Amino acid sequence: MKQVTVIFFLLFSSSGFAQPILDNFLKNLSSLHAQFEQQLFNETGKLIETSQGQMYIKRPNQFRWDYQKPYHQLIVADGENVWIYDPDLEQVTMKKLTKALGKTPALLLSSNRPIEEDFFVNPLPAKADITRLELLPKDAQAQFDSIRLNLRGETLLGFELVDNLGQTTLITFKQTERNQKLEESLFIFTPPAGVDVVTED
């Protein structure tokens, strides 16, 4: 399966000040739509893949991650299940939402769970008017080491994900629309006729 990463402050002296900033950002978030560019770097910092598409978030527990370039791939969470559709392979993979997300950026943006249940939140040095936070997963089984978020006010600019293999995924958002009405059909997926459907526990 192609690489996917479904799937998100001011500088303070302690993480206790960073926590409320992220809490407020998520508390006031009901939906999010943006164009994205995703870059994957290997452990030596070499760029090995670039992709583009659109993402939609509707809280709680719904999202649509639509890769459009250089290949097509679709990830849809309908509130109970996550569907991963790869047209090139003519295959759909279906997972239970709780099993598929784990402690991931998709969970961070779409879930209503208190952030402190899953992450340690630390402030990073600010850059101009960009607020930066680092999130460290509390789950020892998480497949990544850290998530770094960049915010300008209530606009999510992007995040950086470092996985357990030393690879870094950098996602940058553009044309962000916050708390706009999103059609329910965006979060409904029906496997196309003739494709293989694989169910994972």
Side-chain angles (χ1 to χ4, degrees):
M1 181 180 293
K2 301 184 181 71
Q3 173 72 29
V4 296
T5 305
V6 195
I7 197 220
F8 61 172
F9 314 101
L10 300 173
L11 174 63
F12 293 103
S13 59
S14 73
S15 61
F17 291 100
Q19 180 78 45
I21 296 173
L22 183 55
D23 286 344
N24 288 335
F25 170 76
L26 294 173
K27 178 181 178 181
N28 297 321
L29 180 67
S30 60
S31 70
L32 193 65
H33 170 224
Q35 309 286 330
F36 73 84
E37 179 178 81
Q38 178 173 309
Q39 296 175 295
L40 177 64
F41 299 86
N42 67 12
E43 64 277 7
T44 65
K46 180 181 178 181
L47 178 64
I48 58 177
E49 183 178 279
T50 299
S51 53
Q52 297 176 339
Q54 296 190 65
M55 73 92 170
Y56 305 82
I57 298 286
K58 185 175 182 181
R59 303 183 80 195
N61 300 327
Q62 293 180 302
F63 65 84
R64 182 185 184 94
W65 206 267
D66 190 355
Y67 289 88
Q68 299 169 342
K69 295 180 181 180
Y71 55 81
H72 291 282
Q73 189 173 52
L74 180 63
I75 307 173
V76 177
D78 59 16
E80 295 184 0
N81 301 308
V82 177
W83 304 84
I84 303 172
Y85 173 42
D86 192 321
D88 291 341
L89 297 179
E90 297 185 340
Q91 178 176 292
V92 172
T93 302
M94 189 274 283
K95 306 177 182 182
K96 289 295 182 181
L97 183 68
T98 53
K99 298 292 185 180
L101 291 182
K103 307 298 184 290
T104 66
L107 172 68
L108 170 67
L109 292 177
S110 64
S111 174
N112 283 340
R113 285 169 58 90
I115 193 70
E116 65 272 13
E117 290 188 10
D118 299 307
F119 298 96
F120 298 104
V121 183
N122 299 315
L124 295 173
K127 292 183 178 179
D129 61 342
I130 299 176
T131 303
R132 304 171 66 231
L133 283 181
E134 180 180 59
L135 279 66
L136 304 176
K138 292 184 177 181
D139 185 354
Q141 302 302 315
Q143 296 181 350
F144 60 89
D145 291 333
S146 67
I147 303 174
R148 293 186 173 188
L149 290 91
N150 295 325
L151 288 170
R152 179 181 289 122
E154 289 194 335
T155 300
L156 179 63
L157 302 178
F159 55 76
E160 178 181 308
L161 174 70
V162 180
D163 67 24
N164 294 337
L165 300 177
Q167 296 185 132
T168 298
T169 300
L170 180 63
I171 299 181
T172 304
F173 297 115
K174 299 179 180 179
Q175 301 180 33
T176 304
E177 298 177 337
R178 178 184 171 91
N179 295 342
Q180 300 295 309
K181 181 177 174 57
L182 298 177
E183 296 297 328
E184 285 294 336
S185 59
L186 290 168
F187 310 104
I188 298 173
F189 180 80
T190 302
V195 304
D196 293 328
V197 179
V198 178
T199 301
E200 295 187 1
D201 295 329

